[in-house]
Amino acid sequence: MSVLRIGWLTGVVLGILWSFVLTFALAVIVAFGAGVEVRPDPLWTLLFGALYGSAGTAPKRAPWVMILFGAVLMGAMGGIGRGPITGSETVPQALLPIANGVLGAALLGSMLLFMKDVSVGRVTRHVWEAAVIRFLTGIGYIVFTAVVAIPFYVMVMTSLKNQSELMQNPLDFSIDLSQGWHLFDSYYELLTAFNFGTYLWTSFYVSVLTVLITLLFSVPGAYAVARLRFAGRTTFSRSILLIYMVPMIVLALPIYIAFSMTGLRNTIFGIVIIYPVTTIPVSLYMLQGYFRGLPAEVEEAGLMDGLTRLQVIWKITLPLSLPALASVALYVFMIAWNEFLLAFMLLDDPSKFTLTRGVAMLNSSEIPRQHLMAGAVIATVPIMVLFLGLEKFMTRGLTAGAVKG
Amino acid sequence: MTQPTPPTGTGPLGRREARLAWGLLFPTIFSVSMVVVLPLLSIFWISFKPIGLADLRAPTPVVREALRGRPEAAGDAATLQYRLRNSSQDKPILGVTLTDTIPEGLTLGEIDPRCALEGPSLFCDFGDLDGGQREEIEIPVTVEQAYFDNGVDVDDSPPEITGRSENVLTNLDFTLENFARVFRGDDFLTVLWATVFYTVFGTIGALVTGLFAAMLLNKAFRGQGFLRGLYLFPYVAPVIAVAFTWVTLFDPFSGSANALLVQMGVIDQPINFFGQRPLALIMVTVFEVWRYFPLSFLFILARMQSIDTDMYEAADMDGASPFQQFWFLSLPQLMGILSVLFLLRFIWTFNKFDDIFLLTGGNAGTRTLTVNVYEQAFAVSNIGAGAAVAVVIFCVLLVFSIFFLKYVSREEGL
């Protein structure tokens, strides 16, 4: 390993790897953003990576001058078709020098940052590893952000396109603002012709009912498990955990049979009685953990002052555990809103669909892709808004309840 | 003087407390046993039954009544017709009888030998109806003025019909054919392989990716909150939305991923990511990693932030390099949460159905055990075989749950 710990060599190796990552990322951004045909040129990516990587280990006296020089050099080379990013003849004249210039600045700038304490010659293990970690962190940010963001970006952009645009160039995700409101044609059609307004409402009230019923059942249960002494308490709290482990598909089959025979299939009522049962164990588990953390003395004081147990729960425990209730409610809402399997198996009548079932209906060869994506956006946006608005509660709910997935 | 002894057993207060506890737990226990325990038991019952999707609807006799011959005035002759059929094509119905009230003003002529008239009510006995059998009874009638005066149609008094049919769910026919079907042939090995691959690599992948993501965000910087929110998106979004987005993205004909890779010069021909072996299995595993890394990331990050920083400062003083600090300090601290997460995610990945079902529908070698339940029960319409697969899953889970109780519940302090 110590052979590798030579400044310029490290710079060259990391620079090449980093150069490929950056070039590819920038090419994807340009391709997705402007819809032009650019591609990375492996040879020049490699050469520039090696050059700028080793330059990163040079004494950092005037970093801004170096970065400017790096940008100009790569921009000029890009202009004559010798840069890491090249393209076909259809690419606008000014684009390649600019893209390569930006790339050059980013590459050299970040290499200078990575190689902050690294000099040309031999470096200590500490400095070397710190540089490698900075490099890995940089790659991590780019890769994770790209991998998470691209599918959502594609989802939104596809929903704003029309069929012919999609067929013509599946890479062009630029938005033609001159279309005005016609951008939202898919959404308009879903809300009018496909009844998505009704589905939204159905999903909303089914989820709210699920939350209410779940809390109604699990609060007393959680309290009993957390506070009261009775034979079989440990067995009970363990079996709650075991209940999560039964896969839904195994239960869905007998539920389907029972519902078919009793006529509950294809009714919202059937869905509303089945959803809470899938969430009660999780919610009970999360709540009992929280209840245990509450000071028992407060409740005992209440008991001494003549409250009954139920009054204690209502007047003392619940007000104290409002944050936990909010987390649980949000988590249960998310499960109910996202639930797909039961809705898919139990609902056949398009007038009674929940949102997820409605989106599943759009997955057919007769319905254009952008409608499907618009449906996906409609299903995602409310839960995302809720999530971003109440992230603190949501994160806590996820951490507490995430034994279930 | 007797020796004072401490009270043994439960006192009245203790009993009251226990009663209250069970009372509070009753709604949960009741609902969970109705929807979880009862179905689980019924799954075992069904798995030994020769039952298909069509058998769910018990065969019933269906009758149609009509007055033929268009009588227009009193004294016209007409025909009262009952057409009977068995709704099932192969199951018999036993002891079929028909009772109907003849409207006033219809005088019946010669009555079919299977029927008898008592006052205004007609009773017919058809005996047993075989599967798909049809029966017809025609009775000549004379229409009188009273019929037209009342304005009553024959349909207004629908005939009552009775008949017993055997329900395949409740009879005592048992078969091992379902299990034989599940285990027979190479099919089972393919399913098992897909399940093992998906579960093992999906779990490890999500865990390792989550660990990386947690390390990235385990420092304070501007935009950290934003990035954390963003990285949770895959888990929070509805599975149906993200699964269809992936299918759209990787579509072999109009997908952006293929177009991008072709344009970048990585591949020459578009690849059918979700349609060819073994790529489809790898892709669904990648999807699983993508969708569930946020969960492990969240847990690991929470644990990382609770590690004391003094320890790292001391290590720094002693000259430990960053990698050494990670390997010898962070990792051992994280081992507890990592092993719990591994076990939980392992079980949940094993149980996962929606993701694969939406991405490939179980085609191209991606049929795991859970998808096989659906495939057998609904695609092949053999509910019994589906239940048999479910029983297999359940048995595997029982083994997991032993591990679970042994390790996780100790970690969780239960």
Side-chain angles (χ1 to χ4, degrees):
Chain A
M1 284 301 275
S2 62
V3 188
L4 281 175
R5 287 205 291 273
I6 299 168
W8 67 267
L9 188 61
T10 310
V12 168
V13 173
L14 296 191
I16 289 172
L17 292 172
W18 184 240
S19 169
F20 271 98
V21 171
L22 272 190
T23 308
F24 200 79
L26 195 68
V28 170
I29 289 174
V30 172
F32 272 8
V36 292
E37 287 188 30
V38 291
R39 66 175 170 275
D41 183 323
L43 178 68
W44 288 102
T45 309
L46 188 122
L47 290 179
F48 270 108
L51 178 67
Y52 284 19
S54 52
T57 57
K60 292 148 192 83
R61 289 213 192 83
W64 293 109
V65 179
M66 281 180 77
I67 293 174
L68 187 68
F69 181 73
V72 171
L73 174 67
M74 209 191 269
M77 290 294 277
I80 57 167
R82 297 281 184 274
I85 293 182
T86 57
S88 59
E89 285 76 39
T90 54
V91 176
Q93 278 286 310
L95 187 78
L96 285 182
I98 293 176
N100 279 301
V102 171
L103 180 65
L107 182 59
L108 191 53
S110 46
M111 280 320 288
L112 285 171
L113 206 64
F114 293 156
M115 299 290 146
K116 200 166 58 183
D117 310 314
V118 180
S119 51
V120 180
R122 190 166 286 276
V123 292
T124 66
R125 180 171 180 174
H126 227 87
V127 169
W128 185 78
E129 283 185 7
V132 171
I133 283 178
R134 279 195 294 272
F135 161 77
L136 286 177
T137 314
I139 286 199
Y141 284 130
I142 288 190
V143 170
F144 272 105
T145 308
V147 161
V148 170
I150 284 179
F152 288 96
Y153 178 76
V154 167
M155 177 163 92
V156 174
M157 290 307 159
T158 310
S159 73
L160 299 176
K161 295 260 153 188
N162 63 41
Q163 193 73 10
S164 58
E165 287 171 335
L166 282 176
M167 279 296 156
Q168 219 171 38
N169 184 0
L171 279 184
D172 185 1
F173 285 108
S174 57
I175 295 183
D176 184 6
L177 281 176
S178 64
Q179 291 179 338
W181 289 108
H182 286 291
L183 277 176
F184 299 101
D185 273 353
S186 295
Y187 294 90
Y188 181 74
E189 195 151 325
L190 284 187
L191 289 174
T192 53
F194 287 93
N195 262 333
F196 261 62
T198 327
Y199 299 165
L200 261 173
W201 170 240
T202 310
S203 259
F204 176 75
Y205 79 73
V206 164
S207 306
V208 169
L209 280 176
T210 306
V211 170
L212 292 180
I213 299 173
T214 305
L215 287 183
L216 197 70
F217 277 52
S218 57
V219 165
Y223 185 83
V225 174
R227 276 281 184 275
L228 303 178
R229 280 181 297 271
F230 58 97
R233 184 164 99 162
T234 8
T235 327
F236 187 85
S237 51
R238 281 183 177 186
S239 52
I240 303 171
L241 275 175
L242 284 185
I243 296 280
Y244 300 150
M245 304 201 334
V246 181
M248 210 53 231
I249 181 78
V250 169
L251 300 181
L253 190 60
I255 289 171
Y256 177 87
I257 295 172
F259 274 29
S260 298
M261 288 180 151
T262 51
L264 279 172
R265 197 152 72 84
N266 245 332
T267 58
I268 296 293
F269 179 70
I271 290 284
V272 171
I273 59 176
I274 217 79
Y275 275 13
V277 183
T278 62
T279 52
I280 284 173
V282 201
S283 149
L284 202 154
Y285 175 73
M286 287 162 71
L287 282 176
Q288 62 100 13
Y290 190 84
F291 286 165
R292 259 183 214 175
L294 291 179
E297 291 78 9
V298 191
E299 292 173 17
E300 280 157 13
L303 283 175
M304 291 312 267
D305 287 347
L307 293 180
T308 63
R309 274 285 181 188
L310 293 179
Q311 282 171 321
V312 165
I313 297 179
W314 182 250
K315 290 191 175 157
I316 298 177
T317 314
L318 282 190
L320 281 177
S321 49
L322 276 180
L325 288 181
S327 296
V328 173
L330 264 173
Y331 186 60
V332 170
F333 187 90
M334 186 189 101
I335 294 182
W337 182 273
N338 291 354
E339 209 289 328
F340 159 74
L341 172 62
L342 286 171
F344 180 74
M345 287 179 85
L346 299 179
L347 298 176
D348 295 325
D349 177 358
S351 67
K352 290 173 184 147
F353 281 177
T354 61
L355 201 52
T356 47
R357 181 68 184 89
V359 177
M361 175 189 73
L362 295 179
N363 184 29
S364 102
S365 50
E366 284 134 45
I367 295 172
R369 278 282 126 168
Q370 68 272 23
H371 283 23
L372 178 65
M373 286 299 101
V377 172
I378 293 179
T380 311
V381 163
I383 201 76
M384 285 302 174
V385 169
L386 210 60
F387 167 67
L388 291 178
L390 300 163
E391 199 200 326
K392 202 176 68 183
F393 291 116
M394 196 79 155
T395 320
R396 199 182 304 147
L398 287 176
T399 343
V403 256
K404 187 180 173 72
Chain B
M1 214 176 131
T2 52
Q3 198 68 19
T5 49
T8 51
T10 23
L13 266 178
R15 277 202 296 278
R16 219 180 112 196
E17 192 167 321
R19 250 201 322 274
L20 179 69
W22 287 112
L24 291 176
L25 282 172
F26 175 74
T28 305
I29 296 177
F30 176 76
S31 59
V32 166
S33 56
M34 284 304 280
V35 179
V36 177
V37 180
L38 208 62
L40 274 183
L41 294 178
S42 63
I43 268 285
F44 278 95
W45 177 264
I46 297 166
S47 67
F48 290 105
K49 287 282 184 187
I51 176 176
L53 205 53
D55 298 323
L56 287 187
R57 203 171 292 142
T60 46
V62 182
V63 68
R64 247 204 222 139
E65 182 184 15
L67 188 63
R68 300 245 157 173
R70 301 180 188 222
E72 275 157 7
D76 277 2
T79 314
L80 188 59
Q81 188 187 47
Y82 293 99
R83 287 155 92 186
L84 216 73
R85 70 181 171 85
N86 182 345
S87 68
S88 155
Q89 287 300 315
D90 40 41
K91 300 259 164 20
I93 310 175
L94 310 175
V96 179
T97 66
L98 178 152
T99 319
D100 193 21
T101 314
I102 306 293
E104 202 184 337
L106 289 184
T107 315
L108 271 59
E110 192 192 345
I111 296 178
D112 195 280
R114 287 173 288 187
C115 300
L117 191 65
E118 270 179 49
S121 108
L122 180 76
F123 177 80
C124 303
D125 185 355
F126 293 92
D128 301 346
L129 274 188
D130 284 338
Q133 191 182 346
R134 289 164 186 277
E135 286 291 334
E136 198 172 276
I137 284 187
E138 288 190 336
I139 303 171
V141 293
T142 320
V143 186
E144 287 160 19
Q145 190 56 40
Y147 178 74
F148 297 108
D149 293 347
N150 290 343
V152 190
D153 208 17
V154 284
D155 288 345
D156 293 347
S157 60
E160 275 175 34
I161 195 151
T162 62
R164 281 175 292 110
S165 61
E166 258 200 350
N167 190 331
V168 74
L169 271 180
T170 47
N171 68 13
L172 291 176
D173 269 355
F174 291 108
T175 173
L176 283 174
E177 176 59 22
N178 294 328
F179 286 96
R181 238 186 116 103
V182 172
F183 290 113
R184 193 185 299 146
D186 305 333
D187 210 29
F188 184 70
L189 285 181
T190 324
V191 169
L192 207 62
W193 162 243
T195 313
V196 169
F197 182 91
Y198 180 70
T199 312
V200 170
F201 288 99
T203 309
I204 295 178
L207 226 57
V208 172
T209 323
L211 182 62
F212 276 126
M215 285 194 295
L216 281 185
L217 291 188
N218 188 27
K219 55 183 97 163
F221 59 93
R222 210 133 57 99
Q224 191 233 23
F226 170 78
L227 274 187
R228 198 180 60 182
L230 180 74
Y231 289 0
L232 287 176
F233 268 27
Y235 181 69
V236 178
V239 56
I240 187 153
V242 286
F244 283 148
T245 306
W246 272 57
V247 171
T248 308
L249 194 60
F250 289 101
D251 189 280
F253 304 110
S254 60
S256 313
N258 268 313
L260 190 71
L261 289 177
V262 169
Q263 186 181 312
M264 299 286 164
V266 181
I267 52 172
D268 299 328
Q269 287 293 315
I271 300 173
N272 190 356
F273 283 102
F274 285 113
Q276 68 192 45
R277 293 164 196 252
L279 196 58
L281 186 57
I282 296 173
M283 283 303 289
V284 292
T285 312
V286 170
F287 179 82
E288 160 80 20
V289 171
W290 180 80
R291 190 162 143 69
Y292 292 101
F293 90 83
L295 208 72
S296 4
F297 143 70
L298 209 59
F299 274 80
I300 297 170
L301 186 61
R303 182 76 190 81
M304 272 181 175
Q305 286 173 343
S306 69
I307 298 179
D308 206 350
T309 46
D310 292 356
M311 210 167 59
Y312 292 102
E313 283 162 20
D316 239 359
M317 281 300 182
D318 291 345
S321 75
F323 280 136
Q324 283 173 326
Q325 286 177 25
F326 170 73
W327 192 253
F328 293 110
L329 290 182
S330 305
L331 217 49
Q333 295 274 320
L334 295 173
M335 230 40 221
I337 188 74
L338 283 177
S339 54
V340 170
L341 269 177
F342 177 80
L343 202 53
L344 287 170
R345 287 312 312 161
F346 192 83
I347 293 169
W348 270 96
T349 314
F350 178 81
N351 285 349
K352 210 69 220 162
F353 166 79
D354 320 26
D355 305 34
I356 298 185
F357 178 71
L358 287 170
L359 287 173
T360 65
N363 295 321
T366 57
R367 204 195 309 161
T368 58
L369 275 171
T370 44
V371 179
N372 206 17
V373 175
Y374 185 88
E375 185 84 8
Q376 298 285 352
F378 294 95
V380 190
S381 298
N382 189 337
I383 291 213
V389 182
V391 168
V392 173
I393 293 180
F394 188 74
C395 293
V396 177
L397 278 178
L398 272 185
V399 177
F400 289 159
S401 63
I402 294 170
F403 279 97
F404 183 81
L405 282 185
K406 214 165 162 187
Y407 298 105
V408 176
S409 52
R410 197 172 54 203
E411 289 273 349
E412 301 263 323
L414 281 173

